[in-house]
């Protein structure tokens, strides 16, 4: 029997001849399809197309087909980061060490939309399905979470050590140029916006020391101590016997050398050690400055109990960490941060931290938000990266230097826009009899 079915030729081709492929869309066509209005930045591409104001101060150039594939196969921050790190997305009008202004304009002047299914299908057919095959990611990118599981469960000691190594063991020399002489990689405290970065970091350490009521002869444990900034400051300025622990071997080596160089060996020490293995001695105070982001929310109960168990009765804990601005947002960072900056990082809302400290038998005495201080701190780090750009590129390579410029500028914008915050929470190990050693009013100056 002869079939009566006859195909419908939607492309205008002659029956029996190959169907014509739809015209290949330009990059500008794709931008129009995924944006709600004309972008305020100028976007150009390798195919000669362009969209946006010709006189825009900020320009984006999709320099290659690979760059377009990065953007298409990982829409959002991850795809843009991949293309930017490899040089397939060129940003004009800003220095690569501080692309803050470009990110700010993209955040406010590029309104994205999801194209209709039919429109998206036509674009993909025109581009070719092979365009949706992801190119290999840049070497700076960490493996996805499912592959990290090969190093153990999330926040197991071995996996945490690998995550810390990815971020902190980049190069001590690189960090010296970006962080400045304090070698402090946490939020500073500005008495005014005219404070230098170094002065603001000293202000932060004095604020922590004041909240902990540090005095000569006391013992301080600083968990996640980095390059030993708090340890050295407490020993030098307050006569405190301080022990710092870090999961970064390079940090520990640098910090211990700095302690000896500054003649503080009789008071200070930094060990390459997981905080869970810190000595079970009774300390007068514990500081945790920038560690909580790495330990995982499900580990909060054991984390705070561990710190409590290392305190004397009446001792104080100061917990300083980045937090979510809203409980309804994801506890996990965006894809770029997870893959390039803080693998396995997790953020809590400040209320969760207060609750966990409270449930671990700390009496919460004080809390404050230093959100805008971190924006100023990041701006300072970006300035240092710009100032030492050539040396930083020589030290770690162009791709890694771009990662850091992008990460710090993006984080600055997130703090300014109240997408993330920075909270310090002070608690005491109050006795069963209600003795906390905490005065009627705070005994430090802001």
């Amino acid at each position: 029997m002869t079939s009566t079915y006859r195909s419908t030729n939607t492309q205008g081709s002659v029956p029996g001849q190959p169907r014509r492929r739809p015209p290949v869309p330009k990059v500008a066509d794709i931008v129009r399809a995924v944006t709600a209005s004309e972008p305020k930045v100028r976007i150009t591409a390798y195919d000669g197309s362009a969209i946006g104001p010709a006189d825009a101060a900020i320009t984006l150039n999709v320099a290659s087909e690979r760059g377009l594939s990065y953007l298409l196969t990982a829409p959002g921050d991850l795809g843009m980061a991949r293309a930017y790190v490899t040089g397939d997305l060129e940003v004009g009008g800003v220095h690569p060490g501080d692309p803050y202004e470009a990110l700010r304009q993209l955040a406010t002047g590029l309104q994205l939309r999801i194209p209709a299914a039919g429109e998206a299908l036509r674009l993909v057919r025109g581009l070719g399905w092979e365009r949706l095959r992801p190119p290999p990611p840049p070497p700076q990118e960490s493996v996805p979470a499912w592959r990290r599981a090969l190093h153990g469960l999330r926040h197991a000691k071995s996996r945490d050590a690998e995550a810390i190594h990815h971020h902190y063991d980049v190069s001590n020399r690189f960090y010296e140029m970006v962080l400045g002489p304090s070698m402090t990689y946490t939020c500073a405290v500005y008495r005014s916006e005219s404070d230098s970065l170094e002065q603001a970091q000293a202000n932060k350490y004095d604020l922590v020391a004041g909240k902990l009521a540090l005095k000569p002869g006391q013992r301080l444990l600083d968990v996640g101590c980095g390059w030993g900034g708090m340890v050295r400051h407490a020993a030098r300025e307050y006569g405190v016997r301080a022990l710092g622990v870090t999961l970064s071997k390079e940090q520990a080596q640098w910090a211990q050398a700095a302690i000896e160089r500054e003649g503080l060996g009789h008071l200070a020490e930094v060990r390459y050690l997981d905080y869970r293995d810190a000595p079970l001695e009774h300390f007068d105070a514990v500081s945790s400055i920038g560690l909580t982001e790495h330990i995982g929310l499900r580990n909060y109960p054991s984390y705070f109990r561990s710190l409590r168990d290392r305190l004397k009765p009446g001792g104080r804990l100061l917990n300083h960490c980045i937090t979510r601005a809203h409980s309804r947002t994801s506890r996990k960072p965006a894809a770029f941060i997870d893959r390039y900056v803080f693998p396995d990082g997790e953020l809590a809302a400040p209320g969760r931290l207060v609750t966990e400290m409270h449930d671990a038998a700390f009496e919460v005495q004080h809390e404050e938000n230093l959100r805008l201080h971190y924006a100023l701190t990041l701006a300072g780090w970006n300035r240092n990266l710009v100032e030492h750009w050539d040396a930083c590129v020589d030290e770690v390579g162009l791709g890694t230097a771009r990662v850091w410029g992008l990460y710090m500028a993006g984080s600055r914008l997130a703090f300014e826009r109240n997408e993330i915050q920075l909270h310090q929470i002070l608690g005491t190990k109050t006795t069963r009899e209600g003795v906390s050693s905490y005065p009627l009013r705070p005994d430090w100056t802001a």
Side-chain angles (χ1 to χ4, degrees), residues 182-236:
S182 74
M183 279 295 274
T184 300
Y185 187 35
T186 48
C187 175
V189 173
Y190 288 77
R191 293 195 177 96
S192 75
E193 294 189 18
S194 63
D195 280 353
S196 68
L197 177 60
E198 288 305 303
Q199 182 58 57
Q201 292 293 9
N203 294 345
K204 185 265 299 297
Y205 287 136
D206 281 331
L207 180 61
V208 172
K211 289 181 176 180
L212 294 175
L214 295 184
K215 297 178 179 60
Q218 288 186 331
R219 299 205 64 194
L220 168 70
L221 173 65
D222 186 38
V223 294
C225 68
W227 291 270
M230 182 65 201
V231 168
R232 290 180 288 122
H233 189 91
R236 182 177 60 249

Side-chain angles (χ1 to χ4, degrees), residues 352-363:
R352 172 71 178 270
L353 289 159
V354 169
T355 296
E356 296 286 0
M357 285 182 65
H358 177 85
D359 290 349
F362 282 100
E363 183 179 6

